Amino acid sequence: FKQLEGFGSYGFPESHAASFALIAYASSWMKCHHPDVFLCAILNSLPMGFYGAAQLVRDAQRHGVEVRWVDVNRSDWDCTLEHGSNEGFAVRLGLKLVRGVKEADAAHLVGSREQRLFDTIDDLWNRVGIGVGALRRLAAADAFRSLGLSRREAVWQIGRLRESQLALFAAADERSGVSAPEISEPPVPLDLMTLGSEVVADYRNIGLTLRPHPVSFLRRDLERMGSMPCSALYRSRDGRPVT
């Protein structure tokens, strides 16, 4: 007993308890009063254990925080704060969340759009000069929405960028006085991805989604199995909230 008593007076030192209590209190205050700032800061601090980005974003959305998707014309490397639609800020997800994208490539992209935003994928390709692989990862993450392109459309357009290497031969022909034939590719209609496929692609490339929760696609099957949603636990049988 004396050994246990001695350890009990030291097992959780006062200095450790006091410092942790201060961090916990400050974090709780920030999350309560400035949930948008809290989310942005903690996303930029990942990985740090406990909760992943998907859980943090969902919780913030339930508390009224507006979260905006990754975009080549809007996102920096880190998550940032933008003017929100309502009171407070909106959190813009950063390029660091896109799996496989290097910070150096993101820096080139952000620096190249300082004077003018990108209009097309060709415009971005010519001005930024990053590899096709990085662009494919951005397209797979659905980061070209501001260019009016869906995920599949962006992937398709990036797939033909290797043909731009033929510009070297076109320049040689120009010096020799021979005009190179123009390559004209007709537009290809692409089938739209289902909402479920979009959600799966979001998780595969970002690790989270701003679209419906994956369980929402299974709700009918769960209801047939007799499963009760968490929201039902907070209401009594007459529909009034449970205090």
Side-chain angles (χ1 to χ4, degrees):
F1 179 80
K2 288 295 183 182
Q3 289 179 336
L4 293 175
E5 185 181 29
F7 178 79
S9 63
Y10 175 78
F12 199 78
E14 183 180 354
S15 58
H16 182 94
S19 62
F20 183 82
L22 177 60
I23 295 173
Y25 173 79
S27 300
S28 299
W29 187 94
M30 181 66 71
K31 186 178 186 300
C32 177
H33 296 283
H34 302 281
D36 42 12
V37 179
F38 177 83
L39 174 66
C40 185
I42 200 169
L43 287 177
N44 289 335
S45 300
L46 294 177
M48 54 183 294
F50 298 108
Y51 302 104
Q55 289 79 21
L56 294 169
V57 167
R58 285 287 175 183
D59 177 75
Q61 289 179 316
R62 284 194 294 267
H63 289 83
V65 177
E66 180 183 359
V67 184
R68 296 173 179 173
W69 197 244
V70 177
D71 193 277
V72 293
N73 272 327
R74 300 284 183 261
S75 296
D76 292 343
W77 173 249
D78 284 326
C79 299
T80 53
L81 296 173
E82 300 179 349
H83 291 293
S85 303
N86 302 314
E87 295 183 2
F89 294 102
V91 177
R92 173 69 67 178
L93 299 181
L95 297 171
K96 67 187 303 178
L97 295 177
V98 181
R99 291 173 178 168
V101 171
K102 299 178 181 178
E103 186 173 0
D105 289 337
H108 284 304
L109 189 150
V110 173
S112 300
R113 70 171 192 233
E114 288 183 353
Q115 300 298 326
R116 179 171 58 86
L117 298 181
F118 304 117
D119 299 323
T120 62
I121 286 182
D122 287 329
D123 178 36
L124 187 152
W125 165 257
N126 292 324
R127 287 163 54 189
V128 179
I130 61 178
V132 173
L135 293 182
R136 280 206 189 100
R137 295 183 185 97
L138 290 169
D142 201 15
F144 289 90
R145 296 185 190 181
S146 62
L147 276 61
L149 297 173
S150 67
R151 195 190 310 261
R152 278 183 174 171
E153 290 170 337
V155 171
W156 179 270
Q157 290 195 23
I158 291 170
R160 64 176 178 78
L161 286 179
R162 294 188 182 278
E163 296 177 356
S164 300
Q165 297 173 357
L166 297 176
L168 296 174
F169 300 99
D173 291 338
E174 185 177 350
R175 288 194 296 270
S176 63
V178 179
S179 59
E182 294 185 359
I183 300 176
S184 178
E185 182 180 282
V188 177
L190 300 174
D191 293 336
L192 294 176
M193 295 177 64
T194 64
L195 185 57
S197 297
E198 294 276 15
V199 170
V200 171
D202 288 344
Y203 274 97
R204 180 179 294 121
N205 295 285
I206 297 287
L208 62 93
T209 186
L210 301 184
R211 296 181 170 94
H213 193 280
V215 177
S216 65
F217 301 101
L218 307 174
R219 182 62 64 195
R220 291 183 180 178
D221 293 333
L222 292 173
E223 289 177 351
R224 283 195 292 267
M225 295 169 58
S227 299
M228 179 182 295
C230 292
S231 58
L233 300 177
Y234 297 99
R235 292 187 177 276
S236 62
R237 291 184 178 180
D238 58 2
R240 293 182 298 178
V242 177
T243 57

